[in-house]
């Protein structure tokens, strides 16, 4: 072998060692990256089916809960409690149900679809008669039977708890038969509120908390407590939840002092346990 070949061989061996070193570094980087991915906590998303009347309060509470539980996110599904209950019955992937009435929760409990030890009555509400802010409208529930009142917005009593409470109130006041032809049924209490806000109804029956959120309506009368069953908001973790520990944590947070303060600001009354 000539003297010119020796440096070339040495150079090749150096290049081989360098290439092997780079390969080791690359493999190590991949291994470290994989370990880091394994060590990162998995993000859990809780699906919560909630009565529409709770929308504004929960929008304010959500960020505080997520800060308290890193890695947990909340996705709310707002609607009429009866409709949400039926969705859960049919297998909708829900972690928590927060209802505006006891009946939908009782139905799920009767079918073994909730974790019984997580159920609790969390909030109370009241029922009110509203009219457009700048319109004349009826002054009392009894005025709803007057010829001047053409349309009355009410949640569908078959699926909307506020509508069922409204039906009970109208029956207790002996007005149900007289006003049925005037009723415009809404899919949830927020739609009822919108009908009155826009003047598409002369009056509507909603929760006091919904009226509290709007500057386009005014309350003319509160339904007597004796005219309907108590307006209670029960909450529970769904039995088939895949994130039961995180769901339990959210239920506990909603029953805590911070959430209680937010609910009170939005017009709800908390239930003492």
């Amino acid at each position: 072998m000539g003297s010119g070949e020796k440096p070339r061989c040495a150079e090749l061996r150096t290049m081989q060692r360098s290439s092997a070193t780079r390969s080791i570094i690359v493999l190590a980087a991949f291994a470290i990256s994989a370990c880091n991915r394994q060590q990162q906590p998995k993000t859990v998303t809780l699906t919560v089916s909630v009565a529409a009347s709770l929308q504004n309060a929960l929008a304010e509470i959500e960020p505080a809960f997520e800060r308290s539980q890193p890695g947990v996110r909340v996705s709310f599904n707002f609607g009429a409690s009866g409709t949400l209950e039926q969705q859960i019955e049919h297998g909708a992937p829900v972690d928590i149900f927060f209802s505006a009435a006891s009946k939908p929760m009782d139905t799920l409990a009767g079918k073994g679809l909730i974790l019984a030890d997580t159920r609790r009555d969390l909030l109370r509400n009241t029922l009110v008669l509203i009219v457009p802010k700048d319109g004349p409208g009826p002054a009392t529930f009894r005025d709803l039977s007057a010829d001047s009142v053409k349309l009355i917005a009410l949640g569908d009593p078959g699926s909307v708890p506020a509508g069922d409470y409204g039906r009970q109130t109208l029956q207790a006041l002996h007005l149900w038969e007289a006003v049925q032809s005037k009723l415009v049924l809404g899919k949830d209490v927020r739609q009822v509120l919108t009908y009155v806000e826009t003047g598409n109804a002369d009056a509507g029956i909603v929760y006091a908390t919904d009226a509290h959120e709007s500057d386009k309506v005014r309350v003319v009368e509160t339904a007597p407590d004796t005219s309907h069953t108590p307006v209670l908001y029960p909450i529970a973790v769904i039995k088939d939840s895949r994130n039961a520990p995180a769901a339990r944590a959210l239920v506990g947070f909603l029953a805590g002092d911070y959430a209680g303060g937010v609910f009170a600001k939005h017009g709800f009354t908390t239930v003492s346990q």
Side-chain angles (χ1 to χ4, degrees):
M1 181 180 296
S3 60
E5 295 180 357
K6 290 182 179 180
R8 182 179 298 174
C9 290
E11 182 179 348
L12 288 173
R13 284 195 294 269
T14 300
M15 291 175 63
Q16 289 172 345
R17 286 196 297 269
S18 178
S19 178
T21 300
R22 285 196 299 271
S23 297
I24 292 172
I25 292 173
V26 170
L27 289 172
F30 276 120
I32 293 171
S33 177
C35 288
N36 287 338
R37 286 196 298 271
Q38 291 174 357
Q39 291 172 0
Q40 289 175 354
K42 179 183 177 181
T43 298
V44 170
T45 299
L46 294 175
T47 300
V48 186
S49 287
V50 190
S53 53
L54 289 163
Q55 188 167 347
N56 290 359
L58 289 179
E60 186 173 341
I61 293 170
E62 177 187 356
F65 171 73
E66 292 182 348
R67 287 194 298 269
S68 75
Q69 297 286 329
V72 180
R73 297 292 175 265
V74 183
S75 175
F76 291 116
N77 175 31
F78 294 102
S81 297
T83 300
L84 298 174
E85 173 258 309
Q86 291 174 9
Q87 291 173 356
I88 294 170
E89 275 194 65
H90 287 90
V94 175
D95 296 291
I96 295 172
F97 181 38
F98 199 172
S99 174
S102 299
K103 185 178 177 181
M105 189 70 77
D106 290 342
T107 300
L108 293 182
K111 296 185 177 183
L113 297 177
I114 65 170
L115 295 178
D117 66 311
T118 66
R119 178 176 177 174
R120 61 194 301 167
D121 290 331
L122 207 59
L123 303 171
R124 294 183 186 275
N125 211 336
T126 54
L127 201 68
V128 297
L129 179 65
I130 60 171
V131 298
K133 184 177 181 180
D134 299 324
T140 68
F141 278 97
R142 296 196 181 279
D143 291 339
L144 294 176
S145 61
D147 291 339
S148 58
V149 178
K150 305 299 182 183
L151 295 175
I152 304 165
L154 180 72
D156 185 344
S159 60
V160 182
D164 189 39
Y165 295 129
R167 175 190 57 79
Q168 293 176 37
T169 297
L170 293 171
Q171 288 177 332
L173 297 175
H174 306 290
L175 295 169
W176 181 246
E177 296 297 332
V179 303
Q180 279 199 60
S181 62
K182 303 180 180 184
L183 296 178
V184 179
L185 301 183
K187 66 179 182 179
D188 57 40
V189 72
R190 288 306 176 95
Q191 188 173 60
V192 173
L193 181 66
T194 299
Y195 284 151
V196 181
E197 287 179 329
T198 56
N200 288 313
D202 301 305
I205 300 175
V206 299
Y207 296 124
T209 51
D210 295 294
H212 179 271
E213 303 287 354
S214 176
D215 60 0
K216 298 178 182 178
V217 302
R218 55 189 174 90
V219 175
V220 294
E221 188 177 12
T222 299
D225 290 339
T226 56
S227 69
H228 58 79
T229 54
V231 182
L232 292 172
Y233 285 66
I235 189 171
V237 177
I238 300 304
K239 186 176 181 180
D240 288 340
S241 169
R242 296 182 179 180
N243 306 296
R248 287 176 181 271
L250 177 53
V251 171
F253 190 87
L254 293 174
D257 292 340
Y258 174 80
V262 175
F263 286 130
K265 184 175 75 172
H266 288 270
F268 294 93
T269 301
T270 56
V271 177
S272 298
Q273 298 295 325

